[in-house]
Amino acid sequence: MNKKRILSIVLSSLLLISAGATITTTVSAADPTSIRGYVYVDGVITTPNQVKVSFSINEYFADLPGSPVGFYVIDINEVIGETGNFFVTIYGNTWQAHETVTIDGTIVIYINLSINTSEDPIDDGNGDGDGDSDGDGDSDGDGDSDGDGDSDGDGDVEPIPNNPPEMISFTGDQTGRQNIDYTYFANATDPDDGQQIRYIFDWDDGTSNTTGYMASNTTYEINNMWINAGIYQISVYAEDNYPEEGNGTISATLTLQVLIDVHIVDKSECGLDGYLIDEDSDGIYDLYHNNTDGTETAVVEDNGTYMLDTDEDGVDDFSYNPTTGDCEILVKEPEPVNGDDESEDDNTALYILAILLIIILIILFYLATRKKDKKQK
């Protein structure tokens, strides 16, 4: 074998070895992958300022549409087998999420992210843990590097637009009895991303309840009882947590009317405008409240029908049946005209006096006659 042939074989072997090495170290690229899900901050779905996923070489930032609240989408193009870590920026700091993602060729991957703000935020690379990785002082990406609210540097502080929550519904029992719990439901939404809401209830009996903060569009269930009979105008409104908790923007108020051991009496044909009150919650009404003058008079129940003495003169004026709704104006005896009753009383006295006089005269006549007879004898 000559030297040229030997050299040709050696060169061919080297080329094959080189090609083989190239083939064994090449990793197939995956199709573009979409990662999506919800962000939970301290267990509550919240829209953060920023979400990103970091791989060994590349990092990708999420699209945060804002609706629904807390939803994120990250479109990436990584090789199969790569594992990425998630980072969530909110409240001016960045935390590493508890979850990771490994690219396996799946086109759409659903991962809900969770962070706990009671944990220390991560060190962003400059050693201060403020979430500002590029050192420009802007940790949340809003353009305001010094936190004075001036994002464009013109010296004017641009307030963050804030919309009040909107009360959607307020429902629950509207009739009941004393010392029994009744259930009510309130729901409100806040149009601003990431803001939480709380509910403030007023029970119209001198008591109220304020809930803790919760995610927007959370339906809250609460119980209440009343210890006195009456008509109660209860209400609820929502308050968000911006600019700070306890001093947020409030919604409009929704109300409900609740009747506790009360029956409305609205009978214009009888002239009745008020309500019956069952003071002791025994199923029998005790009083009638007159809306016209605010007076309350005792009522008497007779086989399901109530007798109402609205003017308190001792004579019943109306009868009313709460079951059937029937009412009746009761006719009173006519008042004496021109003192007829007094004249009758006066005549009666005269009659008695005349009778007494006649009796006396008869006695005197008898005595006189008897005396005369004695003299004659």
Side-chain angles (χ1 to χ4, degrees):
M1 183 178 295
N2 58 33
K3 293 181 178 180
K4 289 185 178 180
R5 183 170 179 80
I6 292 172
L7 180 62
S8 175
I9 293 172
V10 170
L11 290 175
S12 298
S13 299
L14 290 173
L15 288 173
L16 287 172
I17 293 171
S18 175
T22 302
I23 291 171
T24 56
T25 58
T26 299
V27 180
S28 300
D31 291 328
T33 301
S34 179
I35 308 173
R36 57 190 64 182
Y38 289 89
V39 178
Y40 286 78
V41 177
D42 299 329
V44 178
I45 296 177
T46 305
T47 299
N49 302 112
Q50 178 180 283
V51 175
K52 71 176 181 180
V53 60
S54 295
F55 294 90
S56 58
I57 297 177
N58 302 314
E59 66 179 13
Y60 303 86
F61 291 86
D63 178 25
L64 302 171
S67 180
V69 172
F71 190 70
Y72 78 93
V73 178
I74 307 178
D75 294 323
I76 67 174
N77 194 350
E78 285 291 326
V79 296
I80 293 176
E82 280 287 302
T83 297
N85 296 307
F86 293 93
F87 299 88
V88 177
T89 300
I90 192 170
Y91 308 140
N93 291 290
T94 299
W95 285 266
Q96 181 172 341
H98 301 154
E99 297 75 23
T100 61
V101 61
T102 299
I103 305 305
D104 60 2
T106 304
I107 302 301
V108 179
I109 301 176
Y110 291 92
I111 300 178
N112 290 332
L113 307 180
S114 60
I115 65 170
N116 188 343
T117 59
S118 65
E119 301 172 357
D120 292 333
I122 66 168
D123 186 350
D124 53 22
N126 59 15
D128 58 7
D130 63 358
D132 175 22
S133 60
D134 56 8
D136 66 354
D138 178 18
S139 60
D140 57 7
D142 65 357
D144 177 19
S145 60
D146 57 6
D148 64 357
D150 179 17
S151 59
D152 55 10
D154 62 359
D156 296 327
V157 175
E158 291 84 18
I160 299 175
N162 183 52
N163 299 294
E166 179 185 357
M167 285 300 307
I168 302 301
S169 62
F170 183 33
T171 59
D173 298 296
Q174 292 186 257
T175 59
R177 301 177 69 177
Q178 301 162 63
N179 301 309
I180 296 177
D181 269 326
Y182 295 98
T183 304
Y184 298 89
F185 302 88
N187 179 272
T189 61
D190 193 300
D192 298 313
D193 293 340
Q195 292 187 12
Q196 295 182 309
I197 60 172
R198 66 177 180 175
Y199 298 102
I200 295 88
F201 295 87
D202 187 331
W203 305 111
D204 195 26
D205 61 354
T207 66
S208 62
N209 289 100
T210 300
T211 71
Y213 286 95
M214 62 196 72
S216 172
N217 201 30
T218 298
T219 298
Y220 190 80
E221 178 180 346
I222 189 170
N223 293 333
N224 190 65
M225 73 165 59
W226 289 265
I227 61 174
N228 295 312
I231 299 177
Y232 297 92
Q233 303 292 337
I234 66 174
S235 63
V236 64
Y237 66 87
E239 179 185 23
D240 64 23
N241 60 342
Y242 183 85
E244 60 185 1
E245 291 187 358
N247 187 32
T249 307
I250 64 174
S251 70
T253 300
L254 295 184
T255 62
L256 284 176
Q257 179 174 270
V258 180
L259 309 180
I260 300 298
D261 281 319
V262 160
H263 177 87
I264 299 294
V265 181
D266 183 11
K267 289 293 181 179
S268 57
E269 65 270 26
C270 290
L272 293 176
D273 177 22
Y275 52 89
L276 294 170
I277 305 171
D278 181 4
E279 285 190 305
D280 51 10
S281 196
D282 64 352
I284 298 176
Y285 296 106
D286 307 292
L287 299 172
Y288 172 74
H289 178 94
N290 191 332
N291 288 337
T292 304
D293 56 17
T295 59
E296 293 183 351
T297 55
V299 298
V300 177
E301 190 266 344
D302 181 14
N303 197 27
T305 297
Y306 290 85
M307 314 306 291
L308 283 59
D309 176 14
T310 56
D311 56 11
E312 296 186 277
D313 64 353
V315 180
D316 294 329
D317 304 294
F318 305 93
S319 66
Y320 176 74
N321 188 312
T323 302
T324 63
D326 294 334
C327 67
E328 181 182 354
I329 301 174
L330 302 179
V331 179
K332 296 185 177 182
E333 294 293 330
E335 296 291 334
V337 179
N338 297 326
D340 288 345
D341 283 355
E342 294 180 3
S343 62
E344 287 183 5
D345 291 341
D346 292 343
N347 290 338
T348 301
L350 291 175
Y351 294 151
I352 294 174
L353 182 58
I355 293 172
L356 290 175
L357 288 175
I358 292 172
I359 293 174
I360 292 172
L361 289 174
I362 292 173
I363 293 173
L364 292 174
F365 177 76
Y366 171 75
L367 292 175
T369 303
R370 186 176 179 183
K371 187 177 181 179
K372 183 180 179 181
D373 291 340
K374 286 181 178 182
K375 286 183 180 180
Q376 289 177 356
K377 290 182 180 179

